[in-house]
Amino acid sequence: MPIALIVGGGMAGRAAAVTLRRVGYQGEVVLVGDESTPPYDRPPLSKSVIVGTADLDKVIKQTLETYAEDGIELRLGVAVTAADADAKTATLSDGSEIAWDALVIATGCAPREVPIPGLDKPGVFRITRIDEALAIQEVLASGPKRLAIIGGGFIGMEAAAAAVAHGHTATVIEAAPEPMARPLGLTVAERVLQWATDRGVEVLAGVGVEEVLGDDRASGVKLASGDIIDADLVICAIGQVPRLGLAQLLGCAEEAGGVQVDASMQTSVAGVYAVGDIAAFPSKWADEDRIRIEHAAVAIGHGQTAAEHIATGEGLFEDLPSFWSDQGDITLNMVGVARPDDEIIWRGDQDLPACTAFYLREGKLRAAMSVGDMKTLRGVRKLFAAGVSPTAEQLADPDVDLAALAAAG
Amino acid sequence: MAQVSIGSLSDFPEGTPTFAEADGTRLCIVRVGDKVHAICDDCPHAEASLSEGDFLADDMAVECPLHGSAFNLESGDPDAPPATEAVQVFNVTVDGDTVLVEV
């Protein structure tokens, strides 16, 4: 019986395993993950999990038993230590060996290492794994706390917004002058930042962290400016780097900081697929030959595509990239591939409760970020599907029905 | 399984997702013509109430207001991520003017 081996128990890996069964793959499905928890949804970690409002049964979607019932063998708490592309074998950290017919690498990202002294102190948390998020939850559960959050990306801003909404105080420290400007562009990032500060999140931008203070336990951070931010806990959310070790062991070609794949998610090595954060994939929605996207919806789509291709020999990833960011009571939904220097056209008055920012490049619609307006976003999806790019005036006018424009062609 | 009344037809405006509760089960109800559909109101992906979303007539689906996965009223399947799990679909019968859901 053929064996499909999936390495990585994140969202892309789980999607691959579940989809293999859904499309009727006849072989064995083995998923190897280095965490002890079965695959779980990662987005809630920086939001509902840390503040204790998450339904963990929903976050951790299945148990070992139900995976077994579905014909998926989970090997948890083990890593792949060696692999041979010719023999098609992988050696695990528990000493066992698995032969594969198809291999899906879904190893995701590891937290970025930064040389800030004191990050190893108790009371400093990362937020990339569920055990870490639950450790934060335990601290926050004992009453209002002061959080110092290093890093003003989506994860840091989400954690800050969730904490503030639950009675804590949060200071976000971002070394770059404009938090979230890279994914959202400057003018949109400024609006989102304003909404966060309106809700009580303190943001210090353009200043680095010199060290984490505290004797036995983190008591705050010292900034490069010399200022000291007192804190009961410190969250380090300064980004992540793709985990390429296994792909490199197998000799997979690399591109764009990740593993080069074709539209079926196959790497340069026959029978080896790469999905999720690590995959540099072709997308007709991007200018580049291949892009990497570190967001859940894309990761799930990658896993589904690889599984379909393994099972049926068909399947291409052609999804319009999308992501969301829940920041307290605000949800940003974005579709398309934006660049920081895109021209921004707003629909609505650039404010809550509902508005949309359109991203144009060379006059053409490339992406949209919407808050509280799913109808407009749905219209944008239809425009992309139809290959229709409206004028800036049409985009800005709330009375213009984008879905109708798409239908008219 | 029990047939539970959740109200009369006029309680459910055509094409408008509406919240209802039947023996503690949270439901999103959509009336399309004479037919009434019932799915679980809780998005299987995140903490969202599907009855606060829009009905997409072309797809016979309800769109989650939070992250945009649209759930088919007949199969319960999502059209696209982030949701990957189907919502539960409930049998509905209309007896005269009374809407009964099997929960």
Side-chain angles (χ1 to χ4, degrees), chain A residues 60 91 182-183 232 350 408:
Chain A
I60 306 167
T91 306
R182 195 174 52 84
D232 301 307
Q350 306 188 21

Side-chain angles (χ1 to χ4, degrees), chain A residues 115-252:
Chain A
I116 298 174
L119 281 179
D120 55 346
K121 289 186 203 292
V124 181
F125 299 89
R126 292 276 188 163
I127 199 165
T128 49
R129 297 192 318 255
I130 195 164
D131 56 334
E132 298 168 319
L134 289 171
I136 295 171
Q137 183 192 109
E138 201 179 319
V139 175
L140 295 184
S142 64
K145 294 287 182 294
R146 299 165 300 169
L147 292 79
I149 299 174
I150 307 173
F154 285 127
I155 300 294
M157 293 300 294
E158 288 169 354
V164 165
H166 285 80
H168 308 284
T169 59
T171 304
V172 175
I173 304 130
E174 168 59 47
E178 286 290 346
M180 298 179 289
R182 195 174 52 84
L184 294 178
L186 188 58
T187 54
V188 177
E190 280 173 347
R191 295 305 307 155
V192 176
L193 203 57
Q194 184 65 47
W195 297 332
T197 52
D198 286 349
R199 278 157 179 70
V201 175
E202 185 183 13
V203 180
L204 304 175
V207 61
V209 172
E210 201 158 281
E211 65 172 310
V212 176
L213 303 171
D215 297 329
D216 307 331
R217 186 177 174 81
S219 63
V221 295
K222 184 180 177 193
L223 308 184
S225 60
D227 291 343
I228 287 171
I229 308 295
D230 294 323
D232 301 307
L233 70 159
V234 175
I235 294 177
C236 183
I238 38 71
Q240 50 184 14
V241 289
R243 300 209 298 180
L244 303 179
L246 176 55
Q248 288 170 340
L249 276 177
L250 293 164
C252 299

Side-chain angles (χ1 to χ4, degrees), chain A residues 14 41 43 48 53-55 58 61-62 296-297 300-301 304 319 322 324 326 331 333 374-375 378 381-382, chain B residues 42-48 54-56 58-59 63-69 79-85:
Chain A
R14 174 175 192 272
D41 271 359
S48 53
T53 57
D55 174 356
K58 202 159 163 177
K61 310 185 85 68
Q62 283 187 256
I300 291 167
Q304 291 171 336
D319 295 4
S322 67
W324 75 92
D326 300 323
T331 291
N333 276 293
M374 294 308 274
K375 184 165 182 280
R378 192 158 61 244
R381 286 180 180 278
K382 291 191 167 165
Chain B
D42 299 319
C43 177
H45 168 243
E47 308 306 316
D54 291 334
F55 171 59
L56 312 181
D58 292 349
D59 309 315
E63 181 186 57
C64 177
L66 206 51
H67 303 124
S69 288
D79 64 334
T84 54
E85 266 71 25

